[in-house]
Amino acid sequence: MYKIFLIFFILLMGPLKAEQFTSIENFSFELPKGYQIFNKNNLYDVYNHSNKDPLIKKQINLAKQRLKNQKIELLYNFSSHPLNNINILVFDNNYKVNKKKVLKQCKKILKIEKKVGKRKVDLKECRMHDQPSFADWSMYRENESSFMEGVVTQQIIFLYKKKEYVVTSACWDKCEETKNDLFNLVKSIKF
């Protein structure tokens, strides 16, 4: 009886809480379990900690270049796959997407992505999304990456207070897990 109670209690508790993190854009979110965040302040520490694996070293060098060029936050889950990541970008923007316009918006984004990435890929999924609940609107899109073969791009874009928040995962392996991490991260955002 004690074992049944213990199992029930563990299941009731659910997964362990993720670490709370404050973005450079002044919102908080739960950093999914297993992820490390790269930003200008901690890139050297992460590099120093993980520099034995050549794939991780390559990703850190790419992250270093992106951080120089853009105000971006990069989250990596090296325990899932050395290249799986989620990134967060914020733009000053104010436009409307609804159920009627969502497919057109997804195709517009994919067209730009194909032009830059030089690979012809098809849209796998495009729809309105319900998180974060406070957003003016939110959409989800997914396609094979236009930049690299074997990579899946999963993205939630939402508008809040005239800012466009673009939260994107790039996934090589365990993509359903990465998609869940992306959804949970967006759901946890608080201003």
Side-chain angles (χ1 to χ4, degrees), residues 64-103:
K64 185 177 178 182
Q65 291 305 312
R66 288 189 75 186
L67 289 169
K68 279 183 187 175
N69 299 330
Q70 276 181 309
K71 193 174 179 182
I72 187 171
E73 289 173 301
L74 303 166
L75 293 71
Y76 281 87
N77 185 350
F78 295 123
S79 64
S80 170
H81 187 280
L83 304 176
N84 283 1
N85 69 82
I86 297 174
N87 66 66
I88 302 169
L89 287 163
V90 180
F91 303 97
D92 288 328
N93 238 332
N94 191 16
Y95 62 99
K96 179 78 174 149
V97 173
N98 57 33
K99 284 182 182 181
K100 286 176 87 172
K101 294 181 182 179
V102 69
L103 185 57

Side-chain angles (χ1 to χ4, degrees), residues 15 17 28 45 87 105 110 132 147 168 174-175 181:
K17 275 290 188 190
S28 67
D45 293 336
N87 66 66
Q105 183 65 20
L110 189 59
F147 301 97
T168 306
K174 301 180 182 176
C175 292
D181 291 341

Side-chain angles (χ1 to χ4, degrees), residues 31-54:
L31 188 64
K33 188 173 176 12
Y35 281 82
Q36 295 179 45
I37 190 155
F38 290 133
N39 57 37
K40 291 179 183 178
N41 300 328
N42 73 349
L43 186 61
Y44 179 76
D45 293 336
V46 174
Y47 179 78
N48 215 18
H49 174 72
S50 308
N51 65 1
K52 293 174 184 80
D53 186 328

Side-chain angles (χ1 to χ4, degrees), residues 95-107 123 126-130 136-140:
Y95 62 99
K96 179 78 174 149
V97 173
N98 57 33
K99 284 182 182 181
K100 286 176 87 172
K101 294 181 182 179
V102 69
L103 185 57
K104 184 177 179 181
Q105 183 65 20
C106 286
K107 287 180 178 180
L123 198 58
C126 173
R127 62 178 169 78
M128 296 303 290
H129 190 66
D130 63 349
D136 298 337
W137 57 262
S138 181
M139 62 180 271
Y140 173 76

Side-chain angles (χ1 to χ4, degrees), residues 135-162:
D136 298 337
W137 57 262
S138 181
M139 62 180 271
Y140 173 76
R141 58 177 293 278
E142 182 177 322
N143 55 271
E144 186 179 334
S145 173
S146 298
F147 301 97
M148 205 175 287
E149 193 171 338
V151 180
V152 175
T153 298
Q154 303 161 326
Q155 190 172 61
I156 295 177
I157 303 169
F158 66 92
L159 193 78
Y160 180 65
K161 293 190 176 181
K162 298 183 181 181

Side-chain angles (χ1 to χ4, degrees), residues 104-119:
K104 184 177 179 181
Q105 183 65 20
C106 286
K107 287 180 178 180
K108 178 181 169 184
I109 294 167
L110 189 59
K111 184 178 178 181
I112 294 166
E113 199 178 291
K114 284 191 236 182
K115 188 175 180 179
V116 175
K118 310 277 192 249
R119 288 189 69 232

